[in-house]
């Protein structure tokens, strides 16, 4: 179960908490209406979001982070080190976008008994390739959600992978329209499924 920070399907909490593995993102705003179980927190390990999380005692001690056995860093340090060069020209205002905090997340995990996973750049580059079929236009990087979806599908090709909390909207430098089309394609192929209020109600009535 991959739970984004957007609107979670009504009635999804019990279904999410019953999953074998629950992945949330960054500050885990999905907690509550989106259930409470958290096995993995996927974090943006560069730039301001990373600095804010690591500098926040509230984040470090939050129920979701405390419960998680793994922290996944979604941004490969070498990939973002290379990206810094081009961004200095195209987006000079994002001078801290590629600042890397991977080592600090590793230290946090070592101190708290968690496993730290850094998603490989091959996943990021595979997403870029897949998005090219959906006219993504100009963008800087795919969203963290898209990277995690691709990584989980790569690691667990035969598992039932469900998503909720994905509105495919947000920062203008993520290719959200193309990401939605790509996710919809994976859903139509049966590689993913979206939790929706309608099928949750149907399942409840059948119990």
């Amino acid at each position: 179960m991959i739970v984004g920070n957007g609107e979670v399907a009504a009635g999804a909490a019990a279904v999410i908490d019953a999953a074998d593995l629950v992945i949330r993102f960054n500050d885990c705003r999905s907690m509550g209406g989106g259930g409470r179980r958290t096995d993995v927190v996927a974090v943006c390990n560069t730039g301001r979001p990373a600095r804010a999380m690591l500098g926040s005692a509230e984040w470090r001690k939050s129920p979701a982070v405390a419960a998680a056995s793994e922290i996944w860093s979604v941004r490969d340090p070498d990939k973002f080190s290379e990206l810094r060069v081009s961004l200095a020209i195209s987006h000079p205002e994002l001078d801290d976008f590629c600042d890397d905090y991977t080592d600090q997340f590793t230290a946090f995990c070592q101190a708290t008994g968690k496993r730290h996973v850094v998603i490989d750049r091959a996943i990021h580059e595979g997403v870029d390739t897949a998005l090219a079929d959906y006219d993504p236009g100009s963008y800087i990087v795919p969203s963290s959600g898209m990277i995690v979806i691709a990584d989980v599908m790569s690691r667990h090709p035969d598992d039932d992978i469900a998503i909720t909390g994905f509105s495919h909207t947000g920062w203008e430098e993520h290719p959200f329209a193309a990401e939605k089309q790509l996710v919809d394609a994976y859903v139509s192929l049966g590689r993913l499924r979206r939790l929706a209020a309608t099928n949750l109600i149907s399942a409840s009535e059948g119990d």
Side-chain angles (χ1 to χ4, degrees):
M1 191 71 66
I2 306 173
V3 188
N5 281 328
E7 185 176 355
V8 173
V15 177
I16 291 169
D17 285 344
D20 294 318
L21 183 76
V22 178
I23 304 167
R24 301 183 192 272
F25 292 87
N26 292 324
D27 60 2
C28 302
R29 294 193 301 276
S30 59
M31 285 279 283
R36 304 202 64 81
R37 177 170 179 170
T38 308
D39 300 289
V40 175
V41 177
V43 298
C44 175
N45 51 304
T46 70
R48 297 169 199 174
R51 186 172 70 244
M53 282 183 281
L54 288 164
S56 168
E58 183 179 354
W59 180 83
R60 289 170 175 264
K61 296 177 180 178
S62 67
V65 172
S69 58
E70 299 186 2
I71 302 290
W72 292 3
S73 287
V74 303
R75 294 178 169 178
D76 182 283
D78 291 338
K79 175 76 175 175
F80 276 73
S81 177
E82 295 168 10
L83 183 62
R84 182 190 293 275
V85 178
S86 60
L87 281 183
I89 299 169
S90 64
H91 294 77
E93 72 280 7
L94 298 179
D95 58 332
D96 59 352
F97 183 77
C98 295
D99 289 356
D100 181 49
Y101 292 87
T102 306
D103 288 347
Q104 289 90 326
F105 279 110
T106 297
F108 170 71
C109 288
Q110 289 174 342
T112 53
K114 303 181 191 299
R115 180 171 178 250
H116 187 211
V117 175
V118 180
I119 295 179
D120 191 84
R121 66 183 298 160
I123 296 295
H124 183 137
E125 291 164 359
V127 168
D128 284 331
T129 299
L131 287 169
D133 291 337
Y134 299 94
D135 190 23
S138 176
Y139 67 95
I140 293 179
V141 291
S143 69
S144 297
M146 192 69 245
I147 297 296
V148 168
I149 287 171
D151 185 59
V152 172
M153 289 197 309
S154 174
R155 292 197 218 187
H156 305 280
D158 301 319
D159 286 1
D160 174 22
I161 304 169
I163 66 171
T164 188
F166 284 84
S167 62
H168 304 292
T169 59
W171 189 44
E172 65 274 9
E173 297 295 352
H174 292 322
F176 281 119
E179 289 186 8
K180 182 180 186 303
Q181 293 179 72
L182 179 57
V183 169
D184 287 345
Y186 291 145
V187 170
S188 68
L189 291 170
R191 299 188 65 190
L192 283 176
R193 62 185 175 94
R194 290 186 189 268
L195 286 190
T198 51
N199 57 39
L200 288 168
I201 292 170
S202 298
S204 175
E205 289 174 346
D207 288 345

Short mmCIF file of all heavy atoms in Angstrom, two decimals, residues 39-46 50 53-54 59 68-77 100-120 151 155:
data_model
loop_
_atom_site.label_atom_id
_atom_site.label_comp_id
_atom_site.label_asym_id
_atom_site.label_seq_id
_atom_site.Cartn_x
_atom_site.Cartn_y
_atom_site.Cartn_z
N ASP A 39 5.12 1.25 7.72
CA ASP A 39 6.32 0.41 7.70
C ASP A 39 7.51 1.14 7.10
O ASP A 39 8.66 0.90 7.47
CB ASP A 39 6.04 -0.86 6.89
CG ASP A 39 4.91 -1.68 7.48
OD1 ASP A 39 5.11 -2.27 8.54
OD2 ASP A 39 3.82 -1.70 6.88
N VAL A 40 7.22 2.02 6.15
CA VAL A 40 8.27 2.76 5.44
C VAL A 40 7.87 4.23 5.34
O VAL A 40 6.72 4.54 5.05
CB VAL A 40 8.46 2.20 4.00
CG1 VAL A 40 9.46 3.06 3.22
CG2 VAL A 40 8.90 0.75 4.04
N VAL A 41 8.82 5.12 5.61
CA VAL A 41 8.64 6.53 5.29
C VAL A 41 9.61 6.87 4.17
O VAL A 41 10.83 6.74 4.33
CB VAL A 41 8.88 7.44 6.51
CG1 VAL A 41 8.75 8.92 6.10
CG2 VAL A 41 7.91 7.13 7.63
N ALA A 42 9.06 7.25 3.02
CA ALA A 42 9.89 7.66 1.89
C ALA A 42 10.11 9.16 1.99
O ALA A 42 9.16 9.92 2.11
CB ALA A 42 9.19 7.31 0.57
N VAL A 43 11.37 9.57 1.95
CA VAL A 43 11.70 10.98 2.17
C VAL A 43 12.41 11.57 0.97
O VAL A 43 13.14 10.89 0.24
CB VAL A 43 12.58 11.16 3.43
CG1 VAL A 43 11.85 10.69 4.68
CG2 VAL A 43 13.93 10.44 3.29
N CYS A 44 12.19 12.86 0.79
CA CYS A 44 12.98 13.65 -0.15
C CYS A 44 14.27 14.00 0.58
O CYS A 44 14.25 14.79 1.52
CB CYS A 44 12.19 14.89 -0.55
SG CYS A 44 13.13 16.01 -1.58
N ASN A 45 15.37 13.40 0.16
CA ASN A 45 16.62 13.52 0.91
C ASN A 45 17.55 14.61 0.41
O ASN A 45 18.74 14.62 0.71
CB ASN A 45 17.36 12.18 0.92
CG ASN A 45 17.53 11.58 -0.46
OD1 ASN A 45 16.54 11.39 -1.18
ND2 ASN A 45 18.76 11.29 -0.85
N THR A 46 17.00 15.55 -0.38
CA THR A 46 17.79 16.70 -0.80
C THR A 46 17.00 17.97 -0.53
O THR A 46 15.78 17.96 -0.38
CB THR A 46 18.13 16.66 -2.31
OG1 THR A 46 16.94 16.88 -3.08
CG2 THR A 46 18.79 15.34 -2.70
N ALA A 50 14.37 17.98 3.06
CA ALA A 50 15.26 17.14 3.86
C ALA A 50 15.77 17.89 5.08
O ALA A 50 15.76 17.37 6.20
CB ALA A 50 16.43 16.66 3.01
N MET A 53 12.94 18.25 7.71
CA MET A 53 12.64 17.02 8.45
C MET A 53 13.72 16.70 9.46
O MET A 53 13.43 16.44 10.64
CB MET A 53 12.44 15.85 7.47
CG MET A 53 11.10 15.85 6.77
SD MET A 53 10.85 14.42 5.68
CE MET A 53 11.78 14.93 4.24
N LEU A 54 14.97 16.72 9.02
CA LEU A 54 16.06 16.35 9.91
C LEU A 54 16.21 17.32 11.08
O LEU A 54 16.64 16.95 12.17
CB LEU A 54 17.36 16.28 9.12
CG LEU A 54 17.47 15.09 8.16
CD1 LEU A 54 18.59 15.32 7.15
CD2 LEU A 54 17.70 13.79 8.92
N TRP A 59 9.21 15.85 13.72
CA TRP A 59 9.25 14.82 12.68
C TRP A 59 9.94 13.57 13.20
O TRP A 59 9.44 12.45 13.03
CB TRP A 59 9.97 15.34 11.43
CG TRP A 59 10.03 14.30 10.34
CD1 TRP A 59 9.06 14.02 9.43
CD2 TRP A 59 11.12 13.40 10.07
NE1 TRP A 59 9.46 12.98 8.60
CE2 TRP A 59 10.73 12.59 8.98
CE3 TRP A 59 12.37 13.19 10.64
CZ2 TRP A 59 11.55 11.59 8.44
CZ3 TRP A 59 13.20 12.20 10.11
CH2 TRP A 59 12.79 11.41 9.02
N ALA A 68 7.96 3.30 11.71
CA ALA A 68 8.58 2.78 10.49
C ALA A 68 9.85 1.99 10.79
O ALA A 68 10.67 2.40 11.61
CB ALA A 68 8.89 3.92 9.53
N SER A 69 10.01 0.87 10.10
CA SER A 69 11.24 0.10 10.24
C SER A 69 12.27 0.50 9.18
O SER A 69 13.45 0.15 9.30
CB SER A 69 10.95 -1.40 10.12
OG SER A 69 10.34 -1.69 8.88
N GLU A 70 11.81 1.23 8.16
CA GLU A 70 12.71 1.65 7.09
C GLU A 70 12.43 3.09 6.69
O GLU A 70 11.29 3.54 6.69
CB GLU A 70 12.55 0.75 5.85
CG GLU A 70 12.86 -0.70 6.10
CD GLU A 70 12.84 -1.55 4.83
OE1 GLU A 70 12.62 -0.98 3.73
OE2 GLU A 70 13.04 -2.76 4.94
N ILE A 71 13.50 3.79 6.33
CA ILE A 71 13.43 5.10 5.69
C ILE A 71 13.99 4.94 4.29
O ILE A 71 15.10 4.43 4.12
CB ILE A 71 14.24 6.17 6.46
CG1 ILE A 71 13.75 6.29 7.91
CG2 ILE A 71 14.18 7.51 5.73
CD1 ILE A 71 12.38 6.90 8.08
N TRP A 72 13.21 5.37 3.28
CA TRP A 72 13.69 5.30 1.90
C TRP A 72 14.00 6.71 1.41
O TRP A 72 13.13 7.58 1.42
CB TRP A 72 12.63 4.70 0.98
CG TRP A 72 12.33 3.25 1.21
CD1 TRP A 72 12.86 2.43 2.17
CD2 TRP A 72 11.41 2.45 0.46
NE1 TRP A 72 12.33 1.17 2.06
CE2 TRP A 72 11.44 1.16 1.02
CE3 TRP A 72 10.56 2.70 -0.62
CZ2 TRP A 72 10.65 0.11 0.53
CZ3 TRP A 72 9.78 1.68 -1.12
CH2 TRP A 72 9.83 0.39 -0.55
N SER A 73 15.23 6.93 0.98
CA SER A 73 15.61 8.18 0.35
C SER A 73 15.34 8.06 -1.15
O SER A 73 15.89 7.15 -1.80
CB SER A 73 17.08 8.50 0.62
OG SER A 73 17.27 8.89 1.97
N VAL A 74 14.53 8.95 -1.70
CA VAL A 74 14.07 8.77 -3.08
C VAL A 74 15.03 9.36 -4.11
O VAL A 74 14.85 9.13 -5.31
CB VAL A 74 12.66 9.38 -3.28
CG1 VAL A 74 11.67 8.77 -2.30
CG2 VAL A 74 12.68 10.89 -3.16
N ARG A 75 16.03 10.10 -3.67
CA ARG A 75 16.90 10.79 -4.62
C ARG A 75 18.34 10.28 -4.53
O ARG A 75 19.00 10.41 -3.50
CB ARG A 75 16.85 12.30 -4.37
CG ARG A 75 15.47 12.87 -4.68
CD ARG A 75 15.36 14.35 -4.41
NE ARG A 75 14.11 14.88 -4.97
CZ ARG A 75 13.70 16.14 -4.85
NH1 ARG A 75 14.44 17.00 -4.17
NH2 ARG A 75 12.56 16.53 -5.40
N ASP A 76 18.80 9.70 -5.63
CA ASP A 76 20.16 9.17 -5.70
C ASP A 76 21.16 10.33 -5.62
O ASP A 76 21.10 11.26 -6.42
CB ASP A 76 20.34 8.40 -7.02
CG ASP A 76 21.70 7.78 -7.14
OD1 ASP A 76 22.66 8.52 -7.44
OD2 ASP A 76 21.82 6.56 -6.95
N PRO A 77 22.10 10.29 -4.66
CA PRO A 77 23.01 11.42 -4.48
C PRO A 77 23.83 11.76 -5.73
O PRO A 77 24.01 12.94 -6.04
CB PRO A 77 23.92 10.96 -3.33
CG PRO A 77 23.09 9.97 -2.58
CD PRO A 77 22.28 9.25 -3.62
N ASP A 100 22.59 17.63 -0.56
CA ASP A 100 22.35 16.23 -0.23
C ASP A 100 22.43 15.97 1.27
O ASP A 100 23.40 16.35 1.93
CB ASP A 100 23.38 15.35 -0.96
CG ASP A 100 23.17 13.88 -0.68
OD1 ASP A 100 22.02 13.42 -0.80
OD2 ASP A 100 24.15 13.20 -0.32
N TYR A 101 21.38 15.30 1.80
CA TYR A 101 21.32 14.98 3.22
C TYR A 101 21.24 13.46 3.45
O TYR A 101 20.81 13.02 4.52
CB TYR A 101 20.11 15.66 3.86
CG TYR A 101 20.22 17.17 3.91
CD1 TYR A 101 19.82 17.95 2.83
CD2 TYR A 101 20.75 17.82 5.02
CE1 TYR A 101 19.92 19.34 2.86
CE2 TYR A 101 20.87 19.20 5.06
CZ TYR A 101 20.45 19.95 3.97
OH TYR A 101 20.57 21.32 4.00
N THR A 102 21.67 12.70 2.45
CA THR A 102 21.57 11.24 2.55
C THR A 102 22.34 10.71 3.75
O THR A 102 21.84 9.85 4.48
CB THR A 102 22.08 10.57 1.26
OG1 THR A 102 21.39 11.14 0.13
CG2 THR A 102 21.86 9.08 1.29
N ASP A 103 23.55 11.22 3.97
CA ASP A 103 24.36 10.73 5.09
C ASP A 103 23.68 11.02 6.43
O ASP A 103 23.76 10.21 7.37
CB ASP A 103 25.75 11.38 5.08
CG ASP A 103 26.62 10.83 3.95
OD1 ASP A 103 26.26 9.80 3.36
OD2 ASP A 103 27.66 11.47 3.65
N GLN A 104 22.98 12.15 6.52
CA GLN A 104 22.29 12.48 7.76
C GLN A 104 21.10 11.55 8.00
O GLN A 104 20.82 11.18 9.14
CB GLN A 104 21.82 13.94 7.73
CG GLN A 104 22.96 14.96 7.85
CD GLN A 104 23.54 15.37 6.50
OE1 GLN A 104 23.61 14.58 5.56
NE2 GLN A 104 23.93 16.62 6.41
N PHE A 105 20.41 11.15 6.93
CA PHE A 105 19.33 10.17 7.09
C PHE A 105 19.90 8.80 7.48
O PHE A 105 19.30 8.07 8.28
CB PHE A 105 18.49 10.06 5.82
CG PHE A 105 17.46 11.15 5.69
CD1 PHE A 105 17.61 12.14 4.72
CD2 PHE A 105 16.36 11.20 6.53
CE1 PHE A 105 16.67 13.15 4.60
CE2 PHE A 105 15.41 12.21 6.42
CZ PHE A 105 15.57 13.20 5.46
N THR A 106 21.07 8.47 6.93
CA THR A 106 21.74 7.22 7.33
C THR A 106 22.06 7.25 8.82
O THR A 106 21.80 6.28 9.55
CB THR A 106 23.03 7.02 6.52
OG1 THR A 106 22.72 6.88 5.14
CG2 THR A 106 23.77 5.78 6.99
N ALA A 107 22.59 8.36 9.29
CA ALA A 107 22.93 8.49 10.71
C ALA A 107 21.68 8.40 11.58
O ALA A 107 21.69 7.75 12.64
CB ALA A 107 23.66 9.81 10.96
N PHE A 108 20.59 9.04 11.14
CA PHE A 108 19.34 8.97 11.89
C PHE A 108 18.85 7.53 11.99
O PHE A 108 18.42 7.07 13.06
CB PHE A 108 18.28 9.84 11.21
CG PHE A 108 16.89 9.66 11.76
CD1 PHE A 108 16.56 10.13 13.03
CD2 PHE A 108 15.92 9.01 11.03
CE1 PHE A 108 15.28 9.96 13.54
CE2 PHE A 108 14.64 8.83 11.53
CZ PHE A 108 14.32 9.30 12.80
N CYS A 109 18.94 6.80 10.89
CA CYS A 109 18.49 5.40 10.89
C CYS A 109 19.37 4.54 11.79
O CYS A 109 18.87 3.67 12.51
CB CYS A 109 18.47 4.85 9.46
SG CYS A 109 17.14 5.53 8.44
N GLN A 110 20.66 4.77 11.76
CA GLN A 110 21.56 4.01 12.62
C GLN A 110 21.25 4.28 14.09
O GLN A 110 21.29 3.37 14.93
CB GLN A 110 23.01 4.36 12.29
CG GLN A 110 23.47 3.82 10.94
CD GLN A 110 24.86 4.31 10.55
OE1 GLN A 110 25.38 5.29 11.10
NE2 GLN A 110 25.47 3.64 9.59
N ALA A 111 20.92 5.51 14.40
CA ALA A 111 20.65 5.88 15.79
C ALA A 111 19.31 5.35 16.29
O ALA A 111 19.11 5.18 17.50
CB ALA A 111 20.68 7.40 15.94
N THR A 112 18.40 5.07 15.35
CA THR A 112 17.04 4.66 15.75
C THR A 112 16.72 3.22 15.36
O THR A 112 15.57 2.79 15.50
CB THR A 112 16.00 5.60 15.12
OG1 THR A 112 16.20 5.66 13.69
CG2 THR A 112 16.11 7.01 15.71
N GLY A 113 17.72 2.48 14.89
CA GLY A 113 17.52 1.07 14.58
C GLY A 113 16.68 0.80 13.34
O GLY A 113 16.01 -0.23 13.25
N LYS A 114 16.73 1.72 12.39
CA LYS A 114 15.97 1.56 11.16
C LYS A 114 16.90 1.23 10.00
O LYS A 114 18.08 1.53 10.04
CB LYS A 114 15.19 2.84 10.83
CG LYS A 114 14.24 3.30 11.93
CD LYS A 114 13.48 4.55 11.52
CE LYS A 114 12.74 5.16 12.70
NZ LYS A 114 11.73 4.24 13.27
N ARG A 115 16.33 0.64 8.98
CA ARG A 115 17.09 0.36 7.75
C ARG A 115 16.95 1.55 6.81
O ARG A 115 15.85 2.08 6.63
CB ARG A 115 16.54 -0.90 7.07
CG ARG A 115 17.24 -1.30 5.78
CD ARG A 115 16.78 -2.67 5.32
NE ARG A 115 17.39 -3.06 4.07
CZ ARG A 115 16.76 -3.17 2.90
NH1 ARG A 115 15.44 -2.90 2.84
NH2 ARG A 115 17.38 -3.52 1.80
N HIS A 116 18.06 1.98 6.23
CA HIS A 116 18.03 3.09 5.29
C HIS A 116 18.25 2.57 3.87
O HIS A 116 19.23 1.88 3.60
CB HIS A 116 19.11 4.12 5.62
CG HIS A 116 19.03 5.36 4.79
ND1 HIS A 116 20.14 6.11 4.46
CD2 HIS A 116 17.97 6.00 4.22
CE1 HIS A 116 19.77 7.14 3.73
NE2 HIS A 116 18.45 7.10 3.57
N VAL A 117 17.32 2.87 2.98
CA VAL A 117 17.38 2.45 1.59
C VAL A 117 17.46 3.69 0.71
O VAL A 117 16.67 4.62 0.88
CB VAL A 117 16.13 1.62 1.20
CG1 VAL A 117 16.15 1.29 -0.28
CG2 VAL A 117 16.04 0.36 2.04
N VAL A 118 18.41 3.73 -0.20
CA VAL A 118 18.50 4.81 -1.18
C VAL A 118 18.07 4.26 -2.53
O VAL A 118 18.67 3.32 -3.04
CB VAL A 118 19.93 5.38 -1.26
CG1 VAL A 118 19.98 6.53 -2.28
CG2 VAL A 118 20.41 5.86 0.10
N ILE A 119 16.99 4.81 -3.07
CA ILE A 119 16.48 4.32 -4.35
C ILE A 119 17.46 4.66 -5.46
O ILE A 119 17.89 5.80 -5.61
CB ILE A 119 15.08 4.90 -4.64
CG1 ILE A 119 14.09 4.39 -3.58
CG2 ILE A 119 14.61 4.55 -6.04
CD1 ILE A 119 12.68 4.91 -3.74
N ASP A 120 17.82 3.67 -6.24
CA ASP A 120 18.86 3.81 -7.24
C ASP A 120 18.46 4.75 -8.38
O ASP A 120 17.30 4.83 -8.75
CB ASP A 120 19.20 2.42 -7.82
CG ASP A 120 20.46 2.45 -8.66
OD1 ASP A 120 21.56 2.34 -8.08
OD2 ASP A 120 20.35 2.60 -9.89
N ASP A 151 9.69 2.09 -8.09
CA ASP A 151 10.60 1.23 -7.33
C ASP A 151 9.88 0.00 -6.78
O ASP A 151 10.38 -1.12 -6.86
CB ASP A 151 11.24 2.02 -6.20
CG ASP A 151 12.29 1.22 -5.45
OD1 ASP A 151 13.27 0.79 -6.08
OD2 ASP A 151 12.12 1.01 -4.23
N ARG A 155 10.56 -3.95 -7.59
CA ARG A 155 10.95 -4.93 -6.57
C ARG A 155 9.91 -6.03 -6.37
O ARG A 155 10.25 -7.14 -5.97
CB ARG A 155 11.13 -4.22 -5.22
CG ARG A 155 12.31 -3.28 -5.14
CD ARG A 155 12.59 -2.99 -3.68
NE ARG A 155 12.98 -1.60 -3.47
CZ ARG A 155 13.41 -1.13 -2.31
NH1 ARG A 155 13.46 -1.94 -1.27
NH2 ARG A 155 13.75 0.14 -2.17
#
